[in-house]
Amino acid sequence: MPELYDVITMGRIGVDLYPLQTGVPLARVETFGKFLGGSPANVAVAATRLGRRTAVVTRTGRDAFGEYLHHELREFGVDDRWVTPVDAYPTPVTFCEIFPPDDFPLYFYRQPKAPDLEIHESELDLDAVRSARVFWMTGTGLCAEPSRTSTLAALRARDRSGITVFDLDWRPMFWDTTEAIPGTASDPAARYREALAHATVAVGNLDECEIATGEREPYAAARALIAAGVELAVVKQGPKGVLAVHRDGTVADVPPLPVEVVNGLGAGDAFGGALCHGLLAGWETERVMRYANAAGAIVASRLACSSAMPFPYEVEAALTEGAVTSRPTGATP
């Protein structure tokens, strides 16, 4: 019998190099902090902080940054047994600029190819993927081979069992769409539709929902995601909050938690980890959304992503106060 995990995530990982100064263009930044990065890795960290047993399926370079990522995953309590090295490619790094409250440009260095796109189907522990209570995959994993085939194989292995989450995670710079032919492997919309047929939950912002469904209006996008196969559609609307629509007719339209934003980049990953936690707890939809919103708001009030993920007492305090009013003791930075 495979070991039982609450959450297994699959896909992107890298090193985030974030400025330790806000409101400063990258060209003039003098000091940076180094952090574990990549949405699936951060979601695993977020779920671990909330008490869940997690693992991540991904690949790094065989280099010092790869060693750093292994160390960080272990320090956070995320199982790294399925994080393997690739000799041919370096571990990716990502820079950002921080201009609160809503401008956080990202600069990805994933050339000539990111190791996390070299996940091969033959290397997957499909028994573990099947048995995980939550399996979380992302749109980035569909952008290139062999990751695309491996991600779809993992989804097919799940056979819609448990909770299978498709984080729409649209990053256009990762896709080669110069010669995209509708319905072929180079067509993002076709790949998204294929993955949605195997997922039970879809999560994305309005841009991501539009890529996946062609719909941008929140309710229309949610209905289109459900029509594509999922049971629960979660549409993130930024300052307008989050909309969740379940196939059973349940609707939760939840406003954001007030917060003074420092860096909004990790908020979605905190939301994702808290979403997994709430779904595993069996909470009703509105409670899950409020809890996930609070977790995201807490991280938005901090500079980092992975190390900024909140603990349960911090989320509960924010919900009790009705806002993220102060930085809890020990928050980063």
Side-chain angles (χ1 to χ4, degrees), residues 174-190:
F174 298 162
W175 291 76
D176 181 6
T177 57
T178 54
E179 299 180 1
I181 300 172
T184 69
S186 60
D187 176 14

Side-chain angles (χ1 to χ4, degrees), residues 36-48:
L36 167 74
S39 182
N42 283 339
V43 168
V45 171
T48 302

Side-chain angles (χ1 to χ4, degrees), residues 68-86:
Y68 165 76
L69 293 175
H70 276 281
H71 175 269
E72 290 299 285
L73 287 169
R74 293 168 186 155
E75 284 290 300
F76 286 125
V78 178
D79 195 325
D80 66 342
R81 70 181 63 191
W82 297 302
V83 182
T84 58
V86 176

Side-chain angles (χ1 to χ4, degrees), residues 7-32:
V7 181
I8 293 179
T9 68
M10 178 176 177
R12 185 157 48 90
I13 196 171
V15 176
D16 285 347
L17 295 173
Y18 282 3
L20 299 182
Q21 303 139 284
T22 62
V24 178
L26 198 59
R28 294 200 286 111
V29 173
E30 296 181 353
T31 55
F32 295 85

Side-chain angles (χ1 to χ4, degrees), residues 19-163:
L20 299 182
Q21 303 139 284
T22 62
V24 178
L26 198 59
R28 294 200 286 111
V29 173
E30 296 181 353
T31 55
F32 295 85
K34 182 176 65 176
F35 306 99
L36 167 74
S39 182
N42 283 339
V43 168
V45 171
T48 302
R49 283 272 171 97
L50 297 173
R52 299 300 177 175
R53 185 165 188 254
T54 71
V56 61
V57 179
T58 189
R59 306 195 74 183
T60 71
R62 194 185 294 274
D63 52 27
F65 278 153
E67 293 175 8
Y68 165 76
L69 293 175
H70 276 281
H71 175 269
E72 290 299 285
L73 287 169
R74 293 168 186 155
E75 284 290 300
F76 286 125
V78 178
D79 195 325
D80 66 342
R81 70 181 63 191
W82 297 302
V83 182
T84 58
V86 176
D87 291 325
Y89 304 120
T91 300
V93 297
T94 302
F95 292 88
C96 77
E97 293 176 312
I98 301 175
F99 296 102
D102 58 5
D103 187 18
F104 309 102
L106 283 168
Y107 302 87
F108 294 97
Y109 290 78
R110 291 169 59 88
Q111 299 298 329
K113 187 179 184 181
D116 55 61
L117 295 176
E118 282 291 298
I119 301 173
H120 291 262
E121 181 178 356
S122 61
E123 299 168 339
L124 295 177
D125 186 339
L126 292 179
D127 287 337
V129 169
R130 288 188 194 97
S131 65
R133 298 176 69 194
V134 175
F135 177 66
W136 178 288
M137 48 71 65
T138 78
T140 294
L142 303 174
C143 76
E145 294 290 5
S147 174
R148 177 187 300 123
T149 293
S150 301
T151 301
L152 292 171
L155 288 172
R156 286 192 293 271
R158 293 282 292 178
D159 194 25
R160 296 177 58 82
S161 62
I163 301 166

